[in-house]
Amino acid sequence: MGNPAYDQYELIAPEYARTFAGEFESRPFDRAILRSFADLVVRAGGRTALDVGCGPGEATAELAGCGLRTEGIDGSAAMVALASQQWPDLRFQTADMFDLPYPPGTVDAVCAWYSIIHTPAEALPELFTEYRRVLTDPGWVLLAFQTDGEPAVYDHAFGHDVALTFLRHDIAAVCTALEGTGFTVYSMTKRARQVHLDEPTAQGMVIAQTS
């Protein structure tokens, strides 16, 4: 696997899953973004979605609940095992999001729900090129990520000693990377930090379609 963060999530997977279980119940705006994304895909004739960096599968299940045939992939086998246990009717597999195990042009939508937070800005074009490869035409992508902040380095998180860096991406820079790799930006959203949810930064959400 190409991302060293995968190994760290092997350590913290159970605690991470418990922390974010039912996250959309306390984040109705975020849920609305996911549902609007699914509606855009369906209205364009799409039926399938891939949740990359799916973690314990919360976003995967949301998209599936919107009528999309959704699969999840994650670089952490422990996360995939938890997702498969929680959502037995959905398909999950361990894979690197820089090397998706799908033929070209076979997926109608790609969702990356907080899965680019360990990807440096300079690597985003390579990642988005891989997303573009597997997408149909028309195809859609949804990105959610932390924004408006400096990188945060953690040596202890979710009850374990770790080595994790959480990157906060600039929304405009993310859009530029998308446009340079064959996408047209449909929407850019910034949601303010919610202190009562222990969020460290504002949240960025971008929807784009294939050009």
Side-chain angles (χ1 to χ4, degrees):
M1 297 301 170
N3 194 326
Y6 295 153
D7 293 337
Q8 302 302 301
Y9 281 99
E10 292 292 283
L11 298 173
I12 64 175
E15 294 81 4
Y16 181 98
R18 282 194 293 270
T19 298
F20 291 104
E23 64 175 300
F24 295 111
E25 295 301 320
S26 58
R27 295 173 172 84
F29 181 85
D30 299 12
R31 171 176 273 161
I33 292 288
L34 269 168
R35 290 179 173 176
S36 294
F37 174 68
D39 191 35
L40 287 167
V41 175
V42 171
R43 287 174 180 270
R47 293 292 181 269
T48 60
L50 176 63
D51 185 17
V52 298
C54 64
E58 296 284 338
T60 320
E62 283 292 322
L63 291 174
C66 293
L68 291 172
R69 190 167 68 252
T70 310
E71 298 183 3
I73 67 108
D74 199 279
S76 164
M79 284 291 192
V80 167
L82 288 169
S84 298
Q85 181 178 15
Q86 179 67 23
W87 318 103
D89 294 335
L90 301 179
R91 182 171 185 261
F92 297 92
Q93 63 176 314
T94 306
D96 191 328
M97 63 181 177
F98 279 87
D99 186 19
L100 298 172
Y102 296 87
T106 54
V107 178
D108 298 314
V110 169
C111 172
W113 196 257
Y114 291 92
S115 56
I116 67 170
I117 60 173
H118 304 298
T119 304
E122 59 271 20
L124 290 178
E126 178 187 354
L127 182 61
F128 296 162
T129 297
E130 178 64 357
Y131 293 174
R132 181 68 181 85
R133 181 187 68 80
V134 300
L135 280 170
T136 57
D137 198 2
W140 293 83
V141 63
L142 167 62
L143 310 170
F145 49 92
Q146 297 175 343
T147 191
D148 288 358
E150 295 299 316
V153 180
Y154 292 92
D155 57 16
H156 192 83
F158 301 100
H160 293 272
D161 292 332
V162 297
L164 279 172
T165 299
F166 289 81
L167 303 172
R168 282 72 192 256
H169 290 293
D170 176 72
I171 293 175
V174 169
C175 290
T176 297
L178 283 167
E179 290 167 348
T181 51
F183 292 95
T184 298
V185 173
Y186 178 87
S187 70
M188 300 174 284
T189 304
K190 182 168 70 173
R191 177 174 64 70
R193 172 195 180 200
Q194 300 299 296
V195 177
H196 70 285
L197 296 176
D198 295 325
E199 292 181 343
T201 68
Q203 314 299 314
M205 298 167 198
V206 175
I207 295 174
Q209 60 189 121
T210 54
S211 300

